[in-house]
Amino acid sequence: MAVLLEDIVKSVEQLLKLIGKNSQEQAYVDPTLDPVLLVPGIAGSILNAVDEKTGKEERVWVRILGADHEFCTKLWSIFDPTTGQFSDFSVYHVIYTVYFFVLVLVTSWKVIGGDCVHYFHDMIVEMLKWGYQEGTTLFGFGYDFRQSNRFQGTMEGLAAKLESVYTASGGRKITIISHSMGGLLVKCFMGLHSDIFEKYVKNWIAIAAPFRGAPGYITSTLLNGASFVEGWKQNFFISKWSMHQMLIECPSIYELMACLDFPWEHIPLLEIWRKMSDSDGNSTTMLESYPPIEAVSIFMEALSSNKVNYDGTDISLPFNLEVLKWANETRKLLSCAKVPNRVKFYNIYGTNNETPHSVCYGSEDAPVSDLQQLPALMAKYINVDGDGTVPMESAKADGLQAEARVGVPGDHRGILCDRHVFRILKHWLMADHDPYYNPVNDFVVLPTLFEIESHKASSGLQVTSVKEDWEIIGENQEQEQDSVAEKKPLVGSISVSRVGGDKSLQEEARATITVHPQRNGKKHVGLKGMSISAGA
């Protein structure tokens, strides 16, 4: 029965992909556009496992039926410090790819009545409208997100991808658009292979990149695991515990820990309400706070007895100091990477969301007596502004020479579907040809009327008058309230005068500015002015 359902799911996935492809038949292709390469973040690439004995291949990330079992069987791995590779337990090896129209969190949620979560899907659909074309000017890069962001195999794969995109597009330089951890991967490549990067890349646009880490989210992930879905959907997906046993060995996760040498406005902490007893049996409750360096000893003790049983064998999976050592070297590389002279870098980061920064376990009424209890406890967060996963402070601090940094209200995944972000990308990709749009301030000034008159009066006075009108289009274009009609225009005036040094020249100018209430997403601004000059 399960096999039949799995076949049905796969068939529906193929059908949806065909529908997606057919629905995107393009009436318009812009031959002037430079190619774009999309680089996803953690969990953004589809992973397939290949049996080394039989050659049979099957999807392991993501899937519905048997998801947890297949995940543990084929994706649990252990870090090899001699190679920096995340090596699989089993006889399977993992390959990876990106399908543009496949949903990252399981294509078939709609089939069983739930919600769909896309990755780059909405952005791709939008870019196709601008004139991009798959395989000619629009590409994706898939990779094994369990590995280090500087893993040699990934770096070699990205180098080959850049060369192939460059060739497929007729020798045009590439714009890379990365999301989340994909930004760290691109920065590692830029630091290790700046010559290749400069040869093939024209622009790099990082979106929601954890340049200085995602401290709150990663602290709780290392101690408790991570869940990509909530509620009843977890019955069809990977359990939080199973995910934890994989992530505890992932170098990519350790590379997302809080940057140690970054001057945080508030240092991210691991806080624990501890129950302590003295020699007389008296107990006290204290709140202990550990900055990132000191928190390592807590991770080690809390996970000292962590283990999994794989194929009848117990395998110890404590907090891995070898992985941490590797990750620290990655962070050194990230701090030294520079943008080549002929490449432009842009940064979009998320704001207006409560984002985990420090993590607290226990409470004054229910303190922690044994640190090995932490993996079973619920974390409480002390939040800062950000995208819900990456603090704004971290995402802004790219340490690079940027053409622009723009904050957009949005959550970590949702920002990839944001119309505001699309508008900014369209401008930076030069797909809009709009000289009046300013992504940094996010408004468009449209000149609608300009008149200037000058004449000399019979009295000898030189009179010049000007009338100018603009329309300002802001980001809140859909906001429309009944009270707008009742609001009155704002009116202001300004006057200036000047007298020549020998008092032979006198000039005076006055102007009135009127700002009308916003209607249909537009704010009308009018200016009327006049200047009079008198000379001897």
Side-chain angles (χ1 to χ4, degrees), residues 512-529:
T512 300
I513 301 173
T514 305
V515 181
H516 297 273
Q518 179 168 301
R519 288 179 181 274
N520 300 320
K522 299 178 181 179
K523 188 174 292 185
H524 184 85
V525 179
L527 179 144
K528 293 181 180 179

Side-chain angles (χ1 to χ4, degrees), residues 45-110:
S45 301
I46 288 172
L47 302 183
N48 294 329
V50 179
D51 189 321
E52 294 178 348
K53 296 179 179 179
T54 66
K56 181 181 178 182
E57 180 181 333
E58 63 180 322
R59 171 88 63 82
V60 287
W61 179 268
V62 286
R63 58 183 290 149
I64 295 178
L65 300 176
D68 196 73
H69 176 267
E70 296 300 317
F71 181 90
C72 298
T73 303
K74 300 179 176 66
L75 289 184
W76 273 357
S77 304
I78 195 163
F79 180 75
D80 183 352
T82 61
T83 62
Q85 184 170 359
F86 194 57
S87 302
D88 299 316
F89 285 164
S90 66
V91 295
Y92 295 87
H93 70 274
V94 173
I95 61 176
Y96 39 89
T97 187
V98 167
Y99 298 135
F100 276 149
F101 291 96
V102 174
L103 314 182
V104 164
L105 292 187
V106 189
T107 305
S108 306
W109 283 133
K110 269 193 176 177

